[in-house]
């Protein structure tokens, strides 16, 4: 069996992964707050933990791994979006949840085993808060219920490596007058008539952000489970608060034993920001003929614990390399997962090394090994099964348009007028076809949303 080593944020060292139960390996990853499209940075933890999920399934068996990733569908950002747009909150969250699933699916991410919505677990949250109040770890104040950090003072801050005193000294937030300690955090807060709310022992209200994940993780994975993941921006306060309230509510358990955090994403060496004009969503890229496979490949060339820089050069290089690998495929099928790729992934998800091993397989002409390694890493998002289902007449339509695009491209290179090339590419993308253009030629790859009818007008 492949040995898996993971860098545990809690202990600050790389450890051999030993699950509590190798017949039920359990992982929880913090998911999105659903009020808008997922931006590129939101996609990084999805891809990182999808690779880990695939590795765990390969090592322990797909029936022996449980992956939970939540949706936060009650939040002040969602309330604000509803107020701005005049739309119902449920309508917004349903739409944006599906957007997220569609976009992440384009990146080759498998759906987790459970995708709980916070609003479906309000009773469990209320019960956990009641228990914390009873045990002296929480208190009610002015319609709010707050976690008492002093009741967990000796251990609070262990994950992020901060003391309570240091956190108080560095706090920049306005301290509510009803807090006993500036670091106390909200478990339950009152709702007015225009805000979503549920009945509780403390009146009509809604949960604080942190309690959601604790309640859902306990309900679906128990008081102790193996892995908890997310971006390093969640380490404090979200994950720190999860640990505090979960361990106080269920002292018999360990909550999560291994903590993994991915670093943040930049664009062309700068923090992604609307003010800098370098902010874009996953859908923005997909709609400009950048395939999900290319996005994923760029992500995986940087180790998850290092800052990842999205650049145009990386995108074009990824597109060329993947195009080369796809053209090498021929009639070959995937073989056994290469041990050298498994070993790289087992070493704290060393995806850059795994990709280097794929390149060696490509150079050696080991196509079955290359394809198996790509499959293991989730790189091939267009499945052989799907491509084989395209009828011969549909293939002819695609080939006819490809010929037009090749001719238009050759003309454009002479005239410097690329309007016809852009028109054809736009029509192909709209029809669900990925366009791969390189010095070697033009390759068209129909995707899961392929609609050949949209190409008929181009014939």
């Amino acid at each position: 069996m492949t040995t898996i080593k993971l860098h545990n944020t809690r202990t600050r060292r790389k450890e051999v992964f030993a699950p509590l139960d190798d017949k039920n390996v359990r992982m929880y990853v913090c998911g999105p707050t659903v009020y808008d499209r997922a931006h590129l940075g939101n996609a990084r933890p999805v891809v990182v933990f999808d690779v880990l999920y695939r590795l765990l399934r390969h090592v322990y068996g797909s029936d022996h791994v449980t992956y939970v990733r939540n949706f936060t569908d009650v939040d002040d950002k969602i309330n604000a979006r509803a107020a701005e747009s005049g739309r119902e909150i449920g309508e917004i969250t349903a739409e944006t949840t599906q957007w997220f699933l569609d976009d992440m699916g384009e990146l080759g991410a498998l759906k987790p085993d459970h995708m709980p919505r916070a609003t479906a677990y309000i009773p469990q949250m209320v019960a956990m808060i009641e228990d914390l109040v009873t045990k002296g770890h929480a208190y009610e104040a002015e319609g709010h219920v707050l976690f008492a950090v002093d009741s967990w003072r000796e251990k609070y801050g262990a994950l992020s490596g901060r003391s309570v005193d240091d956190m108080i000294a560095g706090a920049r937030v306005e301290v509510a007058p009803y807090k006993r300690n500036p670091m106390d955090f909200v478990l339950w807060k009152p709702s007015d008539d225009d805000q979503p709310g549920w009945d509780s022992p403390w009146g009509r209200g809604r949960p604080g952000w942190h309690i959601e994940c604790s309640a859902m993780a306990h309900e679906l994975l128990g008081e102790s489970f193996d892995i908890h993941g997310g971006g390093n921006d969640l380490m404090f306060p979200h994950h720190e608060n999860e640990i505090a309230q979960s361990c106080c509510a269920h002292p018999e358990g360990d909550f999560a034993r291994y903590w993994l955090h991915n670093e943040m994403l930049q664009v062309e060496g700068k923090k992604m920001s609307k003010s800098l004009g370098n902010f874009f969503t996953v859908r923005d890229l997909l709609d400009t003929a950048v395939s999900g496979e290319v996005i994923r490949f760029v992500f995986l060339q940087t180790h998850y614990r290092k800052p990842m820089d999205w650049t145009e050069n990386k995108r074009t290089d990824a597109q060329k390399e993947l195009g080369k690998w796809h053209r090498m495929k021929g009639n070959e099928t995937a073989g056994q997962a290469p041990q050298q790729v498994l070993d790289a992934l087992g070493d704290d998800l060393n995806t850059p090394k795994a990709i280097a091993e794929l390149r060696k397989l490509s150079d050696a002409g080991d196509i079955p090994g290359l394809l198996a390694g790509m499959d293991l890493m989730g790189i091939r998002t267009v499945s052989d099964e799907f491509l084989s289902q395209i009828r011969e007449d549909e293939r002819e339509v695609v080939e006819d348009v490809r010929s037009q695009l090749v001719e238009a491209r050759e003309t454009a290179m002479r005239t410097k007028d690329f309007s016809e090339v852009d028109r054809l590419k736009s029509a192909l993308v709209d029809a669900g076809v990925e366009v791969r253009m390189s010095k070697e030629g033009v390759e068209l790859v129909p995707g899961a949303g392929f609609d050949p009818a949209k190409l008929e007008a181009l014939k």
Side-chain angles (χ1 to χ4, degrees):
M1 178 181 289
T2 299
T3 298
I4 298 176
K5 294 181 180 180
L6 301 173
H7 185 275
N8 190 345
T9 307
R10 189 180 69 170
T11 61
R12 293 166 178 74
R13 64 175 183 267
K14 191 187 295 186
E15 301 175 353
V16 173
F17 176 65
L20 289 164
D21 178 0
D22 61 9
K23 300 299 182 185
N24 184 21
V25 182
R26 288 160 284 173
M27 177 169 70
Y28 188 98
V29 175
C30 291
T33 299
V34 283
Y35 67 98
D36 207 344
R37 286 281 187 186
H39 61 68
L40 194 62
N42 298 143
R44 193 179 191 198
V46 173
V47 172
V48 166
F49 292 102
D50 181 69
V51 173
L52 179 55
Y53 182 42
R54 290 170 180 270
L55 177 63
L56 294 172
R57 285 163 58 96
H58 181 87
V59 173
Y60 294 98
S62 58
D63 294 336
H64 302 304
V65 180
T66 303
Y67 175 21
V68 179
R69 188 185 65 218
N70 72 294
F71 285 107
T72 294
D73 61 347
V74 52
D75 184 87
D76 289 343
K77 291 180 181 177
I78 301 172
N79 300 342
R81 183 57 52 89
E84 292 169 4
S85 63
R87 300 174 67 195
E88 294 293 328
I89 287 174
E91 181 184 356
I92 292 172
T93 58
E95 178 182 63
T96 51
T97 295
Q98 193 57 53
W99 284 350
F100 182 85
L101 292 173
D102 291 344
D103 292 351
M104 297 309 109
E106 291 276 1
L107 302 189
L110 301 173
K111 287 185 178 180
D113 300 283
H114 300 282
M115 295 183 287
R117 295 175 296 108
T119 53
Y121 287 79
I122 300 295
Q124 289 87 342
M125 296 177 206
V126 170
M128 182 175 281
I129 296 170
E130 283 188 288
D131 185 46
L132 288 169
V133 171
T134 300
K135 292 175 177 175
H137 293 294
Y139 59 94
E140 183 180 4
E142 297 185 21
H144 296 73
V145 181
L146 298 108
F147 182 86
V149 168
D150 282 336
S151 73
W152 185 249
R153 191 180 185 92
E154 291 183 4
K155 298 181 181 179
Y156 189 77
L159 181 69
S160 55
R162 310 180 187 188
S163 71
V164 174
D165 291 337
D166 288 342
M167 286 186 269
I168 293 174
R172 296 181 180 179
V173 296
E174 181 179 351
V175 178
Y178 48 78
K179 287 187 177 183
R180 296 176 183 173
N181 181 311
M183 298 310 301
D184 291 351
F185 56 89
V186 173
L187 301 173
W188 189 263
K189 53 189 172 182
S191 295
D192 61 32
D193 293 340
D194 296 327
Q195 295 171 323
W198 291 262
D199 291 334
S200 80
W202 319 284
R204 183 176 178 275
R206 60 198 191 279
W209 174 33
H210 313 299
I211 196 68
E212 296 175 12
C213 290
S214 286
M216 290 186 283
H218 180 263
E219 182 72 13
L220 296 169
L221 300 177
E223 63 266 5
S224 299
F225 56 94
D226 298 301
I227 299 169
H228 196 311
N232 68 355
D233 58 324
L234 299 180
M235 191 185 307
F236 181 85
H238 186 50
H239 291 165
E240 202 74 75
N241 292 349
E242 276 189 72
I243 293 171
Q245 63 202 9
S246 294
C247 290
C248 288
H250 305 288
E252 70 282 6
D254 298 321
F255 194 45
R257 299 172 64 242
Y258 299 83
W259 287 83
L260 274 68
H261 292 92
N262 65 273
E263 259 286 359
M264 296 295 98
L265 177 140
Q266 299 175 325
V267 175
E268 302 289 351
K270 297 180 181 179
K271 182 179 179 181
M272 190 165 64
S273 166
K274 290 182 180 179
S275 63
L276 294 176
N278 65 352
F279 179 95
F280 44 88
T281 67
V282 173
R283 181 51 51 181
D284 289 336
L285 287 177
L286 295 173
D287 285 346
T288 53
V290 180
S291 73
E293 181 184 42
V294 166
I295 296 171
R296 186 184 184 98
F297 193 66
V298 173
F299 279 9
L300 296 181
Q301 292 184 70
T302 302
H303 192 274
Y304 79 93
R305 293 184 58 233
K306 294 183 178 180
M308 192 246 135
D309 191 18
W310 174 273
T311 69
E312 183 63 16
N313 285 339
K314 288 181 180 179
R315 181 196 68 78
T316 55
D317 288 347
Q319 196 157 319
K320 290 176 183 177
E321 187 159 25
L322 287 170
K324 172 188 172 184
W325 288 355
H326 281 293
R327 287 190 292 274
M328 290 174 63
K329 178 178 179 294
N331 295 320
E332 297 276 10
T333 57
Q336 295 293 318
Q339 190 59 47
Q340 59 268 43
V341 176
L342 278 167
D343 289 342
L345 296 179
D347 184 15
D348 195 30
L349 299 184
N350 193 338
T351 54
K353 188 174 190 305
I355 288 175
E357 295 297 340
L358 293 183
R359 291 183 176 125
K360 291 178 183 178
L361 292 166
S362 169
D363 292 343
D366 184 354
I367 307 306
L370 172 64
L371 296 177
M374 292 172 72
D375 282 345
L376 180 64
M377 298 178 70
I379 293 174
R380 293 199 298 154
T381 57
V382 180
S383 70
D384 296 333
E385 291 78 10
F386 175 76
L387 290 173
S388 67
Q389 291 170 10
I390 298 177
R391 300 194 311 267
E392 187 62 32
D393 59 324
E394 294 173 346
R395 289 179 180 273
E396 290 177 1
V397 171
V398 174
E399 181 56 32
D400 184 74
V401 178
R402 192 191 75 82
S403 299
Q404 291 183 55
L405 184 56
V406 169
E407 184 177 344
R409 185 189 187 197
E410 292 174 350
T411 301
M413 295 298 290
R414 296 193 304 271
T415 65
K416 307 304 179 185
D417 179 3
F418 287 84
S419 57
E420 179 63 7
V421 173
D422 292 339
R423 184 185 75 85
L424 291 170
K425 285 175 61 178
S426 178
L428 286 161
V429 171
D430 184 57
V433 179
E434 179 189 344
V435 182
R436 296 173 175 166
M437 302 178 71
S438 65
K439 292 180 181 179
E440 288 76 21
V442 175
E443 182 181 13
L444 303 183
V445 182
F450 176 51
D451 183 359
K454 292 184 176 181
L455 298 183
E456 289 290 342
L458 299 177
K459 292 181 62 178

